[in-house]
Amino acid sequence: MATLARRHDCAANDRFHARLAQHVAARMAGLQHPDAIRAAAIALLSDCTWLAEVLAPLIAGLAADPWFAPAIRVQRDARRTALVLADLPALTLSASITAAAPLASAGPPSRFVLPGRQRVTRYLRGGDAQVRRWQRIESDVPVRCSEVAGETLADGMLTMQDGVREARLIVAAARDVVAVTATVKPGADALVREFAVADGRLLRQASADDAASRAELLLMLLRASGRTDAGACFDSVSHDAAPQLRWAAMREWLMLDAHAAHPRLTAMAANDSDAAVRAASRRTLATLAARMATA
């Protein structure tokens, strides 16, 4: 019986993946530019009739066997359940349900997130949900956001979000919200940022890049191990394309060997392409100069 059940699971999941490849992966094949992927995602989600065909093998599998294991990743929190239908080089495709009841009991939000990626969302069930929106203020250092006009979600609504500059948050809904979202991978911001609802100020930020996170951890290990002979590693990473990684390398290098890091810090204060990194470098130079003067 167990063998038959496994064969049933494999067959249903194979049919699901075959249909997903036909309707989704084939449309994204060869696309690399963010705008091209976004346009393909808009075309894909403008008509979601293919979705029922794609999900049919999984639904049939669950109807026949309550222990059936669909080959999809599930993400849950108190308000939202999401199924990751496809994770492709071009984009991630997910289906989600945002429950109305937890939104009603949660109270006003205190924080919102700027995700750093372009998103295209089709609301199969809008639930008359109320969405608050914020726009990034480009000239501000540190980064800040200001609230702009919100919107009400309707059944069938298609929305485009530039997650580098726009944040969206569902704050209330008359009914559960059912959505399919395509998140574009190329062109993403290196950081995910969290802001305060009250005044739009930046609360914290984290790397959205696994490789950058690993590099930061390795630099922390070198610093904690007292590896003053690894200056070339810190210098190399301080030239990385990602601003947050450049500054992380400099921060660790300063804690390890401030004298060795000083020339590179001076260069970053004068010439770094990111305004926030330049500002942080200048502040740190002033602090370092004061400490060296009294040493």
Side-chain angles (χ1 to χ4, degrees):
M1 290 294 292
T3 300
L4 287 174
R6 283 195 295 272
R7 288 177 181 172
H8 172 72
D9 285 7
C10 290
N13 284 319
D14 286 348
R15 289 194 296 274
F16 162 71
H17 286 299
R19 295 178 185 186
L20 196 65
Q22 174 189 350
H23 290 283
V24 181
R27 297 195 189 193
M28 303 300 157
L31 298 182
Q32 297 181 352
H33 195 279
D35 290 344
I37 297 168
R38 177 176 175 268
I42 292 171
L44 176 70
L45 297 184
S46 292
D47 180 2
C48 284
T49 52
W50 54 268
L51 186 59
E53 182 183 346
V54 168
L55 294 178
L58 304 185
I59 295 170
L62 287 167
D65 177 8
W67 298 106
F68 169 66
I72 50 178
R73 191 166 78 249
V74 180
Q75 300 171 337
R76 291 188 179 91
D77 59 32
R79 304 177 188 180
R80 184 172 175 269
T81 299
L83 307 178
V84 181
L85 302 177
D87 193 4
L88 306 173
L91 55 72
T92 300
L93 185 71
S94 61
S96 65
I97 298 177
T98 302
L103 288 172
S105 61
S110 60
R111 303 178 180 198
F112 64 91
V113 172
L114 200 65
R117 294 179 184 267
Q118 293 191 65
R119 289 175 174 168
V120 180
T121 301
R122 178 71 180 272
Y123 291 97
L124 304 178
R125 297 288 183 271
D128 287 330
Q130 303 301 309
V131 178
R132 292 179 69 175
R133 300 168 59 239
W134 293 263
Q135 289 284 347
R136 175 174 172 170
I137 303 172
E138 298 292 343
S139 59
D140 277 15
V141 177
V143 179
R144 295 179 69 89
C145 289
S146 62
E147 189 162 8
V148 296
E151 62 188 18
T152 300
L153 300 180
D155 293 355
M157 192 172 180
L158 186 71
T159 65
M160 281 70 73
Q161 176 187 5
D162 179 357
V164 176
R165 298 175 180 83
E166 180 191 359
R168 301 167 61 90
L169 185 63
I170 297 177
V171 295
R175 298 171 299 282
D176 293 352
V177 179
V178 181
V180 182
T181 300
T183 302
V184 178
K185 290 183 177 180
D189 196 319
L191 297 174
V192 176
R193 297 177 173 89
E194 186 177 65
F195 298 83
V197 167
D199 56 9
R201 63 188 170 85
L202 179 65
L203 296 175
R204 58 181 177 175
Q205 57 189 22
S207 174
D209 184 346
D210 290 341
S213 296
R214 288 193 295 269
E216 288 187 39
L217 288 173
L218 289 171
L219 291 174
M220 290 173 64
L221 178 61
L222 289 173
R223 187 261 304 164
S225 302
R227 293 292 302 272
T228 55
D229 61 326
C233 296
F234 291 91
D235 180 73
S236 175
V237 180
S238 76
H239 289 83
D240 192 87
Q244 89 285 354
L245 188 54
R246 294 198 299 273
W247 182 244
M250 177 50 62
R251 184 180 63 243
E252 296 296 334
W253 197 4
L254 286 167
M255 288 189 286
L256 175 67
D257 188 346
H259 285 279
H262 188 270
R264 176 62 185 140
L265 178 65
T266 302
M268 291 172 71
N271 303 316
D272 195 275
S273 60
D274 185 82
V277 172
R278 289 197 305 274
S281 298
R282 290 166 184 166
R283 290 194 300 269
T284 305
L285 267 180
T287 301
L288 193 60
R291 291 182 179 179
M292 287 180 169
T294 59

